[in-house]
Amino acid sequence: MSKVILVTGAGRGLGTDIAREALAAGHQVVATGRRPDQVEKTLGGPQDNLLVTKLDVTSLEDAEAAAQAAVDRFGRIDVLINNAGNFFAGYFEEITPAQMRQQIETNLFGPMNVTRAVLPIMRKQRAGHVITLSSSAGITGQEFCVAYAASKFGVEGWMESLHYDVEPYNIHTTVVEPGFFRTELLVDASTTWPEPTIDDYAERTTATITAWKSMNGQQSGDPAKLARALLSITAQDKPLQRFVAGADAIQGVTAKARELLAQAEASRELGGDLAHDDTNT
């Protein structure tokens, strides 16, 4: 069944793959990005089932305009795929407060802006599906990822709670936790690399940047396959609320689940009776 699918960050990386796969499957696609001319060129030029429109996810006004353009062209929005994002790498002390805010502004408040613009349309339809790209770093903290993980942990809590808000209106939610895919996240256009500023971190910073840059393009995950998997989720009667994508992500999430259970058990003796009032004993 053909759907109207709005994709953010469609100008490159995974967003381009999602838009291409959706068009190939016969869907109507609203492909958005900060440079719409580049988005349209990347997707092969004008097409009957394609609307390209400007969207900087940090702008609520852009989000509202893109949502309205989608309705004006196709009459509805069935699926929103919040894909746009960036990556501020580095150790916490070497990431400035402004960079930390910018990371969260893009990766958390960005998808919130677009979802805020789209939800009234989906509620009126009494149907819809919001998919937001998180990361395995949204489940498990990692070295050199403190800003990115903070933004993605926020995405996890927001999306998990949003499910309860919108479920009564037949709107589904899915949060996606990919491992390492060849999504262009590590290219300079998406990643801000830190300059070593603190001697204690300098050697580790230099070594980590070198290692991560060498990884770009060599990641095991195929973004085209991930794009097809996301489209298959949109076709489910009861879509997955959480999609752990890739063998490395599944392994990491499984290990984190075991760790959480172990920590809960270890906490039982210390914290299990904290709810009891001992003031009278």
Side-chain angles (χ1 to χ4, degrees):
M1 178 180 174
S2 176
K3 296 179 182 289
V4 177
I5 301 176
L6 192 157
V7 184
T8 69
R12 55 190 173 84
L14 178 60
T16 297
D17 286 301
I18 294 170
R20 283 175 177 162
E21 293 292 338
L23 287 167
H27 297 294
Q28 296 167 309
V29 175
V30 183
T32 73
R34 290 178 296 172
R35 293 178 289 276
D37 290 345
Q38 177 186 327
V39 174
E40 186 170 83
K41 181 178 179 181
T42 300
L43 294 176
Q47 301 170 51
D48 290 343
N49 282 352
L50 174 64
L51 169 65
V52 176
T53 188
K54 179 181 180 296
L55 173 55
D56 178 342
V57 297
T58 64
S59 167
L60 180 57
E61 291 76 14
D62 274 12
E64 291 172 340
Q68 187 60 54
V71 172
D72 291 345
R73 173 72 175 270
F74 296 124
R76 59 188 295 117
I77 300 174
D78 297 302
V79 180
L80 164 62
I81 301 181
N82 286 310
N83 163 74
N86 58 14
F87 177 32
F88 281 82
Y91 296 107
F92 176 66
E93 288 186 275
E94 294 191 323
I95 294 174
T96 68
Q99 288 175 328
M100 182 67 78
R101 289 179 183 277
Q102 188 176 346
Q103 178 76 102
I104 294 174
E105 189 71 39
T106 300
N107 287 2
L108 178 57
F109 287 111
M112 284 183 173
N113 283 337
V114 185
T115 303
R116 191 179 298 278
V118 167
L119 279 180
I121 297 165
M122 291 184 172
R123 278 193 293 103
K124 185 177 181 180
Q125 297 167 176
R126 286 300 192 262
H129 191 175
V130 177
I131 299 175
T132 300
L133 271 291
S134 177
S135 167
S136 57
I139 292 290
T140 304
Q142 301 174 24
E143 182 181 6
F144 215 63
C145 291
V146 64
Y148 186 71
S151 69
K152 294 302 188 179
F153 266 73
V155 164
E156 294 281 336
W158 164 56
M159 284 293 290
E160 191 167 309
S161 298
L162 181 66
H163 162 77
Y164 298 101
D165 291 1
V166 300
E167 184 182 31
Y169 314 114
N170 194 35
I171 301 172
H172 304 291
T173 64
T174 301
V175 61
V176 184
E177 298 152 355
F180 283 101
F181 280 79
R182 298 183 295 277
T183 60
E184 298 190 20
L185 182 64
L186 295 179
V187 301
D188 290 342
S190 295
T191 298
T192 298
W193 302 103
E195 294 288 340
T197 58
I198 299 174
D199 287 345
D200 277 346
Y201 295 109
E203 184 177 346
R204 294 165 66 195
T205 294
T206 300
T208 304
I209 291 174
T210 300
W212 282 34
K213 283 188 174 182
S214 69
M215 187 192 307
N216 183 50
Q218 306 301 316
Q219 300 96 320
S220 59
D222 181 346
K225 289 183 179 179
L226 176 55
R228 289 193 289 272
L230 294 179
L231 292 176
S232 71
I233 291 173
T234 70
Q236 294 176 330
D237 292 334
K238 293 184 178 180
L240 288 172
Q241 292 180 37
R242 173 171 276 107
F243 174 37
V244 185
D248 57 335
I250 292 172
Q251 181 179 1
V253 170
T254 301
K256 180 62 177 282
R258 292 187 182 123
E259 178 187 338
L260 286 173
L261 288 172
Q263 291 292 319
E265 288 302 316
S267 300
R268 190 183 300 278
E269 181 177 347
L270 178 62
D273 64 348
L274 291 180
H276 297 291
D277 186 353
D278 296 329
T279 57
N280 296 322
T281 60

